[in-house]
Amino acid sequence: MLSSKLRPLFHVHRRRSLAASAGHRACGARAALLTLCIALTGAVAAPQAAHAAWPDPSKPIRLVVGFPAGGGVDALARAITPALSEQLKANIVIDNRPGAGGIIATDLVSKSPPDGYTLYLATPGSFTIWPNLRKLPYDAAKDFTPVSLLVTMPNVLVTGAGTPYKDVAGVIAAARSGGQFSYASGGNGTIGQIAGEQFNTLARIKMQHVPYKGTTPALTDVIAGIVPVTFSDPSAKPLIAAGKLRVLAVTTARRSPQFPDVPTVAEAGVPGYEVTNWYGMVAPAGVPADVVKQLNAALVRVMAMPDVRQRLAQAGMDAVSGTPDEFGRLLSTERAKWGELIRKTGIKAD
């Protein structure tokens, strides 16, 4: 047993030891907490740093086009790529993957890594028409991230220069005359077919649809008078200028800057008619939000450039831009709109 003289010293020493031990434990806990915070900060900062580094100048960005070189979508890709490359300080490679009306390329992009290095020029067919016509290998509503609408354009109701049709009223009268009257398109499930069937519905006529494997062969037969009319994309503009085709109306709600003296279908006697063609950019679903934001900002700048706008105007396109949310709403609205028309008219994929 401790003597009465040593007992107070023992208790003082013991209290100091316990206090020191508690202090060591507190310091250890603080050190462990600090280590955990550093680890968590590093874990959060790592992906942010990776996103902030996009695009990596050493890694090319692939811009997929679902149609052959020389078509309207390809023309858009080649008009914007040089300026977009400069804005992003990145090498952009155009990858044409034609086939099945754009479905092959759309499916390819839907299954690509969502890292911002695969982009796609979307068209109405793959995103708003085909989803209502057949089972697809991709989900147009869920497998993509909208980036921006890029161009809008009218389809143009045209006829061969040698036909007797001078205006929309003449076409409607011919379709109601009792004989078979037909219209051509670049294929089943195209915006040209949608334009024709919307015309049939609102004008209360029944033109027979004649699908072709592309716009060019359809225009060739319209020029030759084999098929009376077609609702062509802007690739018909040079043929109109050359006098081989006569333009009767544009399908948009307002007159097009590309054809300022040409009435709309609605103005020409079919109230409520509107079909607007467009192209926009999407990426695979899951692309980081900051990458989408950077890409959208770059595209807004590119689409405002006078030389880009002029080049697109020569191809019959009106340069536009907008937010990813705005483009997403357009896709959703048109998917529902054309779905209703397809069910009402009985349009088939084949």
Side-chain angles (χ1 to χ4, degrees), residues 23-97:
H24 288 315
R25 287 197 299 272
C27 288
R30 285 195 294 271
L33 181 60
L34 179 61
T35 301
L36 178 60
C37 289
I38 292 171
L40 290 174
T41 301
V44 172
Q48 287 179 340
H51 296 169
W54 181 91
D56 182 345
S58 67
K59 188 174 182 179
I61 295 173
R62 178 173 59 157
L63 179 58
V64 180
V65 175
F67 296 88
V73 190
D74 182 72
L76 170 61
R78 296 182 191 281
I80 67 172
T81 293
L84 187 59
S85 294
E86 177 63 27
Q87 289 291 319
L88 296 175
K89 307 301 180 188
N91 181 31
I92 300 178
V93 179
I94 298 172
D95 184 5
N96 293 87
R97 296 293 185 103

Side-chain angles (χ1 to χ4, degrees), residues 114-129:
D115 56 8
Y117 291 96
T118 299
L119 306 173
Y120 186 48
L121 290 183
T123 64
S126 296
F127 283 81
T128 65
I129 300 173

Side-chain angles (χ1 to χ4, degrees), residues 57-312:
S58 67
K59 188 174 182 179
I61 295 173
R62 178 173 59 157
L63 179 58
V64 180
V65 175
F67 296 88
V73 190
D74 182 72
L76 170 61
R78 296 182 191 281
I80 67 172
T81 293
L84 187 59
S85 294
E86 177 63 27
Q87 289 291 319
L88 296 175
K89 307 301 180 188
N91 181 31
I92 300 178
V93 179
I94 298 172
D95 184 5
N96 293 87
R97 296 293 185 103
I103 292 176
I104 291 174
T106 311
D107 182 45
L108 169 71
V109 173
S110 74
K111 295 174 174 59
S112 297
D115 56 8
Y117 291 96
T118 299
L119 306 173
Y120 186 48
L121 290 183
T123 64
S126 296
F127 283 81
T128 65
I129 300 173
W130 280 110
N132 290 295
L133 285 172
R134 58 180 290 186
K135 183 175 177 59
L136 298 169
Y138 60 85
D139 188 324
K142 297 179 180 179
D143 290 345
F144 301 91
T145 300
V147 178
S148 181
L149 180 66
L150 298 178
V151 295
T152 60
M153 68 214 88
N155 274 46
V156 285
L157 175 58
V158 294
T159 187
T163 71
Y165 313 115
K166 307 298 183 183
D167 50 30
V168 169
V171 171
I172 294 174
R176 289 175 176 168
S177 65
Q180 186 176 11
F181 193 89
S182 57
Y183 75 95
S185 84
N188 288 310
T190 62
I191 195 71
Q193 184 184 15
I194 289 293
E197 293 306 317
Q198 182 79 317
F199 189 80
N200 273 340
T201 299
L202 295 180
R204 296 187 176 88
I205 58 176
K206 185 56 183 175
M207 299 186 297
Q208 182 68 36
H209 177 225
V210 182
Y212 285 78
K213 293 182 178 179
T215 301
T216 299
L219 289 173
T220 299
D221 275 8
V222 170
I223 290 171
I226 295 171
V227 182
V229 297
T230 185
F231 292 83
S232 176
D233 63 27
S235 63
K237 190 174 181 181
L239 296 171
I240 295 168
K244 295 182 179 180
L245 289 170
R246 181 185 304 121
V247 58
L248 306 179
V250 296
T251 63
T252 42
R254 293 187 294 273
R255 293 195 181 198
S256 168
Q258 309 305 324
F259 305 94
D261 298 325
V262 176
T264 68
V265 172
E267 285 178 325
V270 187
Y273 185 96
E274 178 188 0
V275 177
T276 300
N277 200 352
W278 53 261
Y279 304 142
M281 185 175 288
V282 300
V287 171
D290 57 336
V291 172
V292 175
K293 184 177 179 180
Q294 290 180 65
L295 183 55
N296 177 267
L299 285 168
V300 169
R301 292 191 293 269
V302 168
M303 303 314 290
M305 294 178 178
D307 57 333
V308 172
R309 297 177 72 87
Q310 182 179 7
R311 185 171 177 181
L312 291 171

